[in-house]
Amino acid sequence: EKLSKSRAHDGAAAAGTVPWAEYYARRQRLAEAVNINTGLLALKRCIDALHDAQRAKREGKPAPHVPYQDSKLTMLLCSALGGDSKTVLLVAAAQEHAHAAETVQSLRFGERCASVETRARVGANALAGMIAALNERIAACEEEVKSTEKWETVRTVRRDEVEGRDEV
């Protein structure tokens, strides 16, 4: 009897197996989704802490700690969330029934963010001062241009001579 090599792996993969490239691509997408959700959870904690701080301020109690250092997203947004700038939040919503739960949660998060009041204090004063300084520089430049330059209008008439005749 003659023995031969099995050809089970030639052409078709076994049932339930996935090629390595596809497996690692799925893992990479999963890791990216986990990182995004971690950042959004940290943002939610910051918004909740800011909301609690406003309530504590109204009641005369000490404000709780706002965990800006929990993720890179909240570290980037700490000046916007802390009240040194004007902040806009966009909430994406889907009309499909299949995405109703996510849409409702997104809208609730947007409503929670809208209830946090921020007042731009330091940034607004600095910005107003910078704008006033720029306006003064522009006015000084305009005065310098008016005093040093003269604009004259000169009319020039040219005559071309073609085959012994003048043409205007």
Side-chain angles (χ1 to χ4, degrees):
E1 185 175 327
K2 187 176 180 182
L3 295 174
S4 64
K5 184 177 175 185
S6 172
R7 296 183 181 216
H9 295 294
D10 293 351
T17 62
V18 177
W20 286 108
E22 185 178 332
Y23 171 74
Y24 284 116
R26 284 184 189 172
R27 281 189 62 179
Q28 187 176 9
R29 285 193 302 269
L30 180 64
E32 184 178 346
V34 167
N35 290 335
I36 290 171
N37 287 335
T38 303
L40 291 175
L41 180 62
L43 179 62
K44 181 189 178 298
R45 287 183 187 146
C46 286
I47 296 296
D48 288 342
L50 288 169
H51 197 268
D52 293 341
Q54 285 180 345
R55 186 175 49 220
K57 186 178 179 182
R58 283 192 304 264
E59 295 172 357
K61 297 179 181 176
H65 170 71
V66 180
Y68 291 123
Q69 303 298 323
D70 283 357
S71 77
K72 290 180 183 177
L73 176 66
T74 54
M75 283 192 284
L76 289 171
L77 295 175
C78 72
S79 64
L81 296 172
D84 288 340
S85 62
K86 292 186 179 183
T87 307
V88 175
L89 175 75
L90 297 176
V91 177
Q95 294 180 352
E96 293 85 19
H97 183 68
H99 303 291
E102 291 89 359
T103 299
V104 169
Q105 289 299 321
S106 296
L107 292 173
R108 285 182 182 156
F109 178 72
E111 185 178 22
R112 183 80 168 174
C113 291
S115 68
V116 175
E117 294 178 9
T118 59
R119 293 190 179 128
R121 295 172 297 260
V122 177
N125 294 337
L127 182 63
M130 289 172 29
I131 290 173
L134 286 174
N135 284 337
E136 289 175 9
R137 285 179 58 191
I138 289 171
C141 288
E142 286 175 350
E143 289 298 320
E144 183 181 344
V145 167
K146 285 180 183 178
S147 67
T148 60
E149 295 187 10
K150 287 185 176 180
W151 292 88
E152 296 178 3
T153 305
V154 178
R155 183 170 181 229
T156 304
V157 178
R158 297 186 181 175
R159 293 184 173 244
D160 294 333
E161 189 174 310
V162 178
E163 299 178 3
R165 296 181 307 180
D166 286 336
E167 292 187 6
V168 179

